[in-house]
Amino acid sequence: MHLAADHGLLLSIKGGGHNIAGTALADGGLTLDTSRMRRVTVDPAARLAHAGPGCLLRDVDRATQQYGLATTLESVSSARTSLVRSFDPEVVRRLKADAECDVTVDGPTLAAQAIEAGLVDEYHLFVTTTVVGGGRRFFPDGVRLDLELVEERVFGSGVMYVRYRTR
């Protein structure tokens, strides 16, 4: 952090899985990547877990389950965040209609359901310079999208950001 301050650089801190698209990273700045710092230590007697800054919720759940300490998320700490336990297209339609700002969908399972229900108005995609096969897809089988390019940016790293709107 001192290095960034001493050189007048913007500082981004990359944690676990939040904002995997990379839009929170400062282009041309310095990034402190904590995503590999995923160690979780558990003190079962104190019923306490210490999680590294790069941890995902699943890392904490996995480490604490053997001690009977794992739990599901009961609440969210942001006033602009809602916790919904199952996908209901009508609930999402109401959330969109009542929202004063953008509503985002994260995670491949939820994204696929929202796409199938026709609830996605824009797609923000990052094309990276490394392609790795595997994982769960968020574009469901049989869905055809007619998109209009709204914005595109190419970063010095070769990563390209594209934003599409549904027609």
Side-chain angles (χ1 to χ4, degrees), residues 3-141:
L3 178 70
D6 291 347
H7 290 86
L9 296 171
L10 292 174
L11 177 65
S12 302
I13 299 176
K14 182 177 183 280
H18 297 345
N19 203 316
I20 59 173
T23 57
L25 302 180
D27 193 31
L30 180 67
T31 299
L32 177 60
D33 185 354
T34 66
S35 63
R36 290 187 175 187
M37 300 171 75
R38 295 173 59 177
R39 182 174 177 191
V40 179
T41 57
V42 180
D43 179 349
R47 300 185 54 78
L48 187 64
H50 295 276
C55 281
L56 304 173
L57 185 56
R58 70 173 173 244
D59 299 323
V60 177
D61 279 347
R62 202 173 289 135
T64 56
Q65 279 177 358
Q66 62 186 314
Y67 303 106
L69 300 175
T71 183
T72 58
L73 194 60
E74 293 296 327
S75 64
V76 292
S77 58
S78 170
R80 293 177 31 190
T81 303
S82 298
L83 181 62
V84 180
R85 300 225 176 265
S86 61
F87 181 78
D88 181 341
E90 291 310 312
V91 170
V92 177
R93 280 187 185 89
R94 281 195 305 273
L95 283 171
K96 283 180 64 174
D98 295 343
E100 295 177 10
C101 57
D102 290 340
V103 175
T104 61
V105 175
D106 293 313
T109 302
L110 183 57
Q113 292 171 318
I115 292 167
E116 280 185 313
L119 294 169
V120 179
D121 303 317
E122 286 191 358
Y123 295 86
H124 298 248
L125 307 172
F126 285 81
V127 180
T128 65
T129 57
T130 303
V131 178
V132 179
R136 184 171 289 158
R137 297 177 305 144
F138 66 86
F139 285 114
D141 289 337

Side-chain angles (χ1 to χ4, degrees), residues 124-159:
H124 298 248
L125 307 172
F126 285 81
V127 180
T128 65
T129 57
T130 303
V131 178
V132 179
R136 184 171 289 158
R137 297 177 305 144
F138 66 86
F139 285 114
D141 289 337
V143 169
R144 178 187 163 97
L145 302 170
D146 187 21
L147 304 173
E148 170 190 359
L149 181 64
V150 176
E151 181 182 359
E152 62 182 302
R153 281 188 258 161
V154 178
F155 298 95
S157 63
V159 172

